[in-house]
């Protein structure tokens, strides 16, 4: 069998699996008819749209299939960080004592998807806002800047996010 | 259990109000975006967590979890688009004066 054809088929199957998981989560039932319908339509949609969801050049296995149990740990860490940062932001809002700066830094993540998740996490954490993401270069608006040095700012803002994302997607 | 629910609902209300105060007080677009979107995120997560605790372990909790994840994906994208629009137009961010 041709390599490209094999790759097309596996891309379609991966897309279909994602769609089936989403369908089961949304319907919330395990009745036979519902799952049967879900599988048929997932494969139908996957054959039409696999080339949009998964690009031809994306060949790293870890890129497409994340390690699921780490995602839950990551969600817990993210929510804890959001709460800590929100409570830190309370005096800044009430007193108005802010020192906003733009900082630039780079990320070591190689997968596109992981980079987008990192940028999203930085935006979600109160006090930091991603302005631009160009390949591995991030531009971040920091509400209470402690330093403008690229390396230290990156370490303070990225925190544990990067090392945990590396375990999920590389 | 009901106490935890009340605490989370209270935090939701508190951060919602705080976000609106921040929008009125802060000087320029970036800082206002910070206040509005971030406090909205925290308040909504608090309310959704309270709903999860209220429902206990049921199919409804799974649906709320899916809603939370979708919110975590879509909310930063919205605020990022506004901030990027301002950044591409060349809006200079507000800075604190040196004398202060």
């Amino acid at each position: 069998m041709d390599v490209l054809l094999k790759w097309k088929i596996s891309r379609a199957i991966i897309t279909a699996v994602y769609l089936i998981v989403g369908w089961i989560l949304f319907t919330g039932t395990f009745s036979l008819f519902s799952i049967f319908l879900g599988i048929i339509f997932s494969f139908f949609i996957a054959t039409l749209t696999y080339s949009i969801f998964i690009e031809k050049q994306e060949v790293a296995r870890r890129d497409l299939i994340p390690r699921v149990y780490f995602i839950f740990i990551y969600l817990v860490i993210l929510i804890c960080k959001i709460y800590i940062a929100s409570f830190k932001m309370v005096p800044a809002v009430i007193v108005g004592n802010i020192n906003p700066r733009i900082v630039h830094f780079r990320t070591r993540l190689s997968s596109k998807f992981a980079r987008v998740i990192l940028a999203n996490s930085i935006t979600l954490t109160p006090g930091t806002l991603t302005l631009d993401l160009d390949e591995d270069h991030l531009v971040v608006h920091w509400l209470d800047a402690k330093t403008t040095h690229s390396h230290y700012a990156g370490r303070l803002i990225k925190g544990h996010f990067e090392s945990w994302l590396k375990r999920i997607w590389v | 259990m009901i106490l935890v629910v009340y605490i989370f609902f209270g935090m939701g209300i508190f951060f919602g109000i705080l976000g609106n105060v921040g929008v009125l007080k802060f000087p320029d677009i970036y800082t206002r975006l910070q206040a509005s979107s971030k406090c909205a995120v925290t308040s909504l997560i608090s309310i959704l967590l309270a709903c999860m605790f209220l429902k206990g372990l049921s199919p409804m909790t799974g649906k709320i979890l899916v809603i939370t994840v979708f919110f975590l994906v879509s909310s930063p994208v919205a605020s990022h688009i506004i901030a990027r629009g301002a950044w591409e137009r060349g809006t200079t961010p507000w800075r604190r004066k040196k004398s202060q």
Side-chain angles (χ1 to χ4, degrees):
Chain A
M1 201 192 278
D2 188 19
V3 177
L4 277 178
L5 184 65
K6 239 186 222 174
W7 177 227
K8 268 181 191 172
I9 290 169
S10 49
R11 273 193 294 170
I13 287 172
I14 291 169
T15 315
V17 168
Y18 275 117
L19 289 173
I20 290 166
V21 170
W23 170 262
I24 289 171
L25 275 174
F26 262 112
T27 54
T29 57
F30 285 100
S31 71
L32 204 65
F33 178 69
S34 150
I35 287 180
F36 181 67
L37 211 66
I39 288 172
I40 286 178
F41 275 97
S42 298
F43 274 99
F44 177 62
I45 294 166
T47 47
L48 293 178
T49 59
Y50 65 91
S51 56
I52 302 169
F53 280 117
I54 301 168
E55 283 174 15
K56 203 173 174 184
Q57 291 86 0
E58 259 181 296
V59 283
R61 185 164 55 97
R62 191 69 66 68
D63 211 27
L64 306 174
I65 306 164
R67 284 190 270 185
V68 180
Y69 45 95
F70 277 125
I71 291 179
F72 287 99
I73 300 173
Y74 184 72
L75 265 182
V76 172
I77 290 173
L78 182 64
I79 287 174
C80 287
K81 284 244 173 192
I82 287 172
Y83 272 110
I84 292 167
S86 323
F87 278 109
K88 272 183 191 164
M89 214 175 139
V90 170
V93 172
I94 291 171
V95 181
N97 179 27
I98 50 171
N99 178 26
R101 283 293 173 88
I102 305 278
V103 288
H104 302 248
F105 55 86
R106 290 181 182 281
T107 171
R108 265 188 241 147
L109 299 167
S110 52
S111 151
K112 258 187 207 170
F113 202 71
R115 278 177 192 164
V116 171
I117 297 281
L118 177 71
N120 257 9
S121 309
I122 288 171
T123 309
L124 266 173
T125 325
T128 48
L129 178 67
T130 315
L131 296 180
D132 206 353
L133 172 63
D134 181 25
E135 292 295 318
D136 66 339
H137 180 226
L138 283 146
V139 182
V140 172
H141 182 265
W142 197 0
L143 192 65
D144 189 20
K146 293 182 181 65
T147 169
T148 49
H149 189 280
S150 156
H151 184 71
Y152 294 118
R155 206 158 62 182
L156 280 174
I157 290 173
K158 283 184 290 187
H160 297 293
F161 293 146
E162 197 176 39
S163 57
W164 278 100
L165 278 173
K166 243 183 213 167
R167 292 184 199 184
I168 302 174
W169 274 288
V170 173
Chain B
M1 204 54 156
I2 200 75
L3 189 70
V4 180
V5 174
Y6 280 137
I7 288 170
F8 273 109
F9 272 133
M11 275 208 283
I13 294 165
F14 174 66
F15 282 117
I17 292 169
L18 203 73
N20 290 324
V21 171
V23 170
L24 293 175
K25 270 190 83 170
F26 279 167
D28 75 331
I29 179 168
Y30 301 109
T31 43
R32 280 182 180 183
L33 258 179
Q34 299 257 17
S36 72
S37 67
K38 302 323 150 49
C39 289
V41 165
T42 321
S43 74
L44 218 129
I45 286 174
S46 305
I47 288 168
L48 287 171
L49 278 176
C51 290
M52 271 188 228
F53 280 120
L54 201 64
K55 275 287 170 190
L57 209 63
S58 65
M60 197 65 192
T61 315
K63 279 181 198 172
I64 296 172
L65 192 70
V66 173
I67 293 169
T68 316
V69 171
F70 269 100
F71 181 74
L72 288 183
V73 173
S74 64
S75 160
V77 172
S79 56
H80 166 70
I81 285 172
I82 299 171
R84 191 189 157 95
W87 179 246
E88 302 262 304
R89 275 188 72 186
T91 312
T92 44
W94 179 86
R95 274 174 71 169
R96 192 163 65 174
K97 289 183 184 66
K98 270 176 188 167
S99 59
Q100 278 181 323

